[in-house]
């Protein structure tokens, strides 16, 4: 890829109410940092809801912490699709191993999903992409990007049973519309196109200008609409296609294409797992959402941007996926999450002689997202392993302890090991590290990865 990317995944947790305090996420966090010693826990308050000890950075360059009671795992800054997906999978394995080693796995489950069917709560998978500050974020380009994101769920949705109603704890509300299954877990929760905050009035694009790097050179595109993906192919396709769209944006080479109400379009598409996926453009013309995606694919192949190995993999995967969505969706079983989950649930419905209204299916919906392979519906499904996806440059490294060697995550990890070895005090953040008495390491350039080329190191006088 030509840009840094990373994922933040919020995990659901199911545990018996009798467990009491401390809650399972707290016990798992403490086990990872204090027993396994896989990172350095925060010694400072990061925010009013992130006190000291709430989480910390990991030696692999990522971060793990508690966010409003649930575990959140962030990948390090990555420059390849293979690294994004591999480090994202580390979060899954870390949490499951912690449950097993704490002897909790028989009673407790972590879920990599985005919906609590009982409370109608949602938890996200946020995507982060580095953009150059001078990227032409014109109204035309932003409208096109929104159209891409609204139709991207056909590639990247994780699927879900039912639709979002009022929380059942307040009394189940019946809807005149019955949606037995839909493509995206997050579609019912996205409320607007662009907005600054994360928790309220959720948007396709989070407008908060927080680059976590040199603000004069970079900005960070923060996306809230995406589902958490279990299948590596789907995860890589989601990130790869979006990265290509941003390459086109920076080259000011996006096709001119806009929807009047992209959020409504996304929700409508999500409610139609069997099609027809018709969308209305701003000029009132109607076409297929697959045609819209084809336009974006053609733009990526137009020669207006250079295609590296990751981009070439993405283009071929994109082309194949759109072809199968048109002609043979079952060929995408084991590739796209929403197609795979639908196939598994339909097979169960047929074998048990039940209907989509059976409450059993909501339970199975969650089992698809189980991190425990003994309970997961995905366990044993052939062709789903990361190594089988043909991603370029998949490294042979310890993704649990080693950071990407080609981003600033490498510097942060080196600094953390020095801190641990010399027992120094510290404050660690994505773009700045304080060590001991007055030493600072500035990581404003997220591409600088070698201490020999880091020119922003300086010592300040604490007086």
């Amino acid at each position: 890829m030509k840009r840094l990317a990373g994922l933040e995944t919020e995990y659901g947790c199911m545990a018996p109410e009798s467990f009491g305090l401390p809650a399972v996420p707290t016990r798992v966090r403490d086990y990872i940092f204090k027993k396994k010693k896989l990172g350095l826990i925060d010694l400072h308050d990061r925010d009013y809801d992130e006190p000291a000890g709430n989480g910390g950075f990991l030696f692999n360059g990522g971060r793990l912490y508690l966010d409003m009671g649930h575990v959140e795992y962030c990948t390090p800054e990555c420059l390849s699709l293979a690294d994004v997906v591999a480090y994202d999978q580390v979060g899954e394995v870390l949490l499951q191993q912690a449950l097993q080693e704490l002897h909790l796995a028989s009673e407790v489950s972590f879920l990599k999903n985005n919906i609590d069917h009982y409370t109608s709560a949602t938890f996200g998978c946020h995507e982060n992409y580095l953009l150059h500050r001078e990227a032409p974020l014109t109204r035309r380009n932003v409208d096109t990007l929104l159209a891409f994101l609204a139709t991207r769920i056909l590639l990247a949705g994780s699927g879900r049973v039912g639709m979002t109603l009022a929380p059942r704890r307040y009394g189940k509300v019946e809807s005149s519309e019955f949606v037995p299954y839909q493509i995206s877990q997050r579609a019912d929760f996205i409320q607007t196109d662009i907005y600054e905050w994360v928790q309220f009035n959720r948007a396709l694009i989070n407008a908060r200008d927080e680059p976590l790097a040199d603000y004069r050179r970079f900005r960070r595109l923060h996306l809230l609409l995406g589902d958490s993906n279990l299948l590596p192919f789907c995860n890589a396709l989601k990130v790869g296609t979006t990265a290509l769209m941003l390459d086109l944006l920076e080259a000011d080479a996006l096709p001119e294409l806009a929807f009047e109400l992209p959020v409504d379009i996304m929700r409508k598409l999500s409610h139609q797992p069997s099609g027809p996926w018709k969308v209305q453009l701003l000029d009132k013309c109607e076409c297929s959402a697959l045609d819209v995606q084809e336009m974006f694919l053609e733009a990526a192949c137009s020669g207006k941007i250079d295609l590296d190995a990751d981009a070439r993999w993405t283009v071929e995967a994109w082309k194949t996926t759109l072809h199968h969505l048109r002609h043979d969706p079952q060929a995408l079983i084991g590739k796209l999450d929403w197609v795979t989950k639908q196939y598994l649930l339909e097979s169960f419905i047929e074998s048990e002689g039940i209907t989509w209204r059976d409450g059993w299916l909501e339970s199975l919906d969650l089992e698809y997202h189980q991190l425990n392979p003994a309970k997961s519906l995905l366990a044993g499904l052939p062709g789903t392993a990361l190594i089988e996806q043909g991603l370029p440059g998949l490294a042979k490294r310890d993704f649990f302890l080693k950071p990407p060697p080609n981003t600033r995550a490498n510097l942060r990890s080196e600094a953390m090991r020095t801190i641990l070895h010399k027992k120094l005090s510290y404050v660690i953040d994505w773009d700045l590290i304080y060590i001991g008495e007055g030493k600072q390491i500035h990581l404003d350039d997220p591409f600088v990865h070698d201490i020999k080329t880091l020119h922003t190191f300086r010592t300040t006088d604490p007086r």
Side-chain angles (χ1 to χ4, degrees):
M1 291 189 298
K2 299 176 183 176
R3 67 191 66 256
L4 292 174
L7 300 176
E8 308 166 36
T9 302
E10 302 171 347
Y11 286 90
C13 180
M14 291 196 302
E17 292 184 9
S18 59
F19 267 44
L21 297 175
V24 170
T26 301
R27 294 166 68 180
V28 167
R29 175 205 61 197
D30 291 346
Y31 184 77
I32 288 172
F33 283 102
K34 298 176 182 179
K35 179 68 175 178
K36 300 289 285 185
K37 301 187 184 301
L38 295 178
L40 298 180
I41 204 157
D42 296 331
L43 300 181
H44 67 295
D45 294 349
R46 292 176 59 87
D47 206 339
Y48 73 94
D49 58 349
E50 284 196 64
N54 186 62
F57 282 89
L58 302 168
F59 290 119
N60 74 352
R63 179 167 172 78
L64 187 142
Y65 60 103
L66 301 189
D67 182 10
M68 299 183 68
H70 59 249
V71 175
E72 181 157 345
Y73 168 80
C74 307
T75 70
E77 305 91 328
C78 299
L79 258 177
S80 74
L81 286 180
D83 273 359
V84 172
V85 180
Y87 282 105
D88 186 52
Q89 287 189 336
V90 164
E92 303 171 26
V93 180
L94 272 183
L95 297 186
Q96 184 56 33
Q97 283 184 349
L99 289 183
Q100 291 171 340
E101 293 169 14
L102 287 166
H103 306 291
L104 297 173
S106 62
E107 298 180 88
V108 176
S109 296
F110 278 115
L111 306 173
K112 191 183 182 186
N113 77 325
N114 308 105
I115 172 69
D116 180 336
H117 288 291
Y118 183 71
T119 64
S120 291
T122 183
F123 18 99
C125 175
H126 296 179
E127 303 160 54
N128 298 284
Y129 302 90
L130 195 71
L131 272 174
H132 290 290
R133 176 58 65 173
E134 63 270 19
L137 293 174
T138 61
R139 175 64 182 268
R140 173 186 176 278
N141 285 339
V142 171
D143 282 348
T144 301
L145 183 58
L146 289 169
F148 165 76
L149 294 173
T151 54
R152 191 191 70 170
I153 64 168
L154 297 177
L155 311 178
S158 284
R160 62 160 292 189
V161 172
M163 61 185 294
T164 296
L165 303 171
R168 290 184 186 169
R169 59 186 175 187
Y170 303 127
K172 185 172 182 179
V173 177
E174 295 295 336
S175 170
S176 58
E177 179 186 13
F178 175 60
V179 180
Y181 182 81
Q182 59 176 296
I183 292 171
S184 169
Q185 297 207 349
R186 289 283 275 178
D188 285 351
F189 297 95
I190 302 299
Q191 298 155 299
T192 191
D193 301 343
I194 303 171
Y195 195 66
E196 183 177 3
W197 303 112
V198 175
Q199 291 176 312
F200 306 104
N201 204 15
R202 293 183 188 89
L204 295 170
I205 297 175
N206 178 246
R208 180 177 54 190
D209 191 3
E210 186 184 22
L212 302 178
D214 185 346
Y215 67 90
R216 296 164 299 182
R217 298 174 57 196
F218 304 109
R219 65 170 76 239
R220 177 173 61 121
L221 181 67
H222 190 57
L223 300 181
L224 309 181
L225 77 153
D227 292 358
S228 298
N229 294 119
L230 273 294
L231 293 170
F233 180 93
C234 194
N235 217 4
L237 186 62
K238 173 176 70 178
V239 175
T241 54
T242 307
L244 277 177
M245 289 297 297
L246 298 181
D247 292 348
L248 288 166
L249 187 151
E250 287 186 339
D252 204 14
L254 285 170
E256 187 170 0
L257 197 154
F259 298 146
E260 184 176 356
L261 298 169
V263 172
D264 288 357
I265 290 287
M266 183 179 70
R267 189 174 296 123
K268 178 183 175 183
L269 292 175
S270 184
H271 289 189
Q272 298 177 359
S274 300
W277 302 330
K278 295 295 184 182
V279 297
Q280 189 178 77
L281 304 180
L282 193 58
D283 62 6
K284 306 303 181 184
C285 291
E286 188 176 77
C287 66
S288 166
L290 293 176
D291 292 338
V292 171
Q293 282 289 312
E294 291 279 4
M295 294 179 202
F296 296 134
L297 173 59
E298 289 171 8
C301 299
S302 65
K304 295 179 180 178
I305 56 174
D306 295 328
L307 301 182
D308 61 11
D310 277 344
R312 291 192 294 273
W313 181 93
T314 300
V315 163
E316 288 306 311
W318 200 353
K319 188 182 303 180
T320 301
T321 299
L322 293 177
H323 172 79
H324 287 315
L325 283 173
R326 288 185 189 276
H327 304 292
D328 184 17
Q330 287 208 350
L332 297 169
I333 294 169
K335 297 292 187 182
L336 298 191
D337 278 299
W338 75 267
V339 174
T340 304
K341 183 192 284 186
Q342 184 179 25
Y343 165 76
L344 293 172
L345 293 180
E346 285 178 341
S347 298
F348 183 81
I349 288 170
E350 183 178 350
S351 66
E352 296 295 326
I354 60 176
T355 71
W356 278 104
R357 292 184 181 271
D358 196 303
W360 204 349
L361 294 175
E362 289 185 353
S363 176
L364 286 177
D365 187 347
L366 296 180
E367 296 303 307
Y368 181 90
H369 300 272
Q370 276 274 7
L371 299 190
N372 189 341
K375 301 176 182 178
S376 171
L377 295 185
L378 274 179
L381 195 65
T384 60
L386 172 57
I387 198 170
E388 297 177 85
Q389 308 314 311
L391 285 167
L394 179 59
K396 295 181 179 179
R397 81 171 72 99
D398 185 347
F399 291 96
F400 296 87
L401 290 172
K402 299 291 185 181
N406 54 356
T407 75
R408 69 180 178 192
N410 187 57
L411 286 174
R412 190 165 54 247
S413 182
E414 284 189 32
M416 289 169 59
R417 293 182 188 281
T418 299
I419 289 167
L420 181 65
H421 177 68
K422 295 186 176 182
K423 297 181 172 60
L424 301 171
S425 60
Y426 59 86
V427 173
I428 303 172
D429 213 330
W430 293 99
D431 54 350
L432 180 65
I433 302 174
Y434 293 93
I435 301 178
E437 295 296 325
K439 290 185 178 180
Q440 301 176 13
I441 298 178
H442 291 253
L443 303 176
D444 292 337
D445 187 339
F447 294 98
V448 173
H449 57 274
D450 186 348
I451 194 69
K452 295 177 183 178
T453 60
L454 182 67
H455 301 298
T456 51
F457 177 85
R458 66 174 180 267
T459 302
T460 60
D461 187 340
R463 295 174 296 178

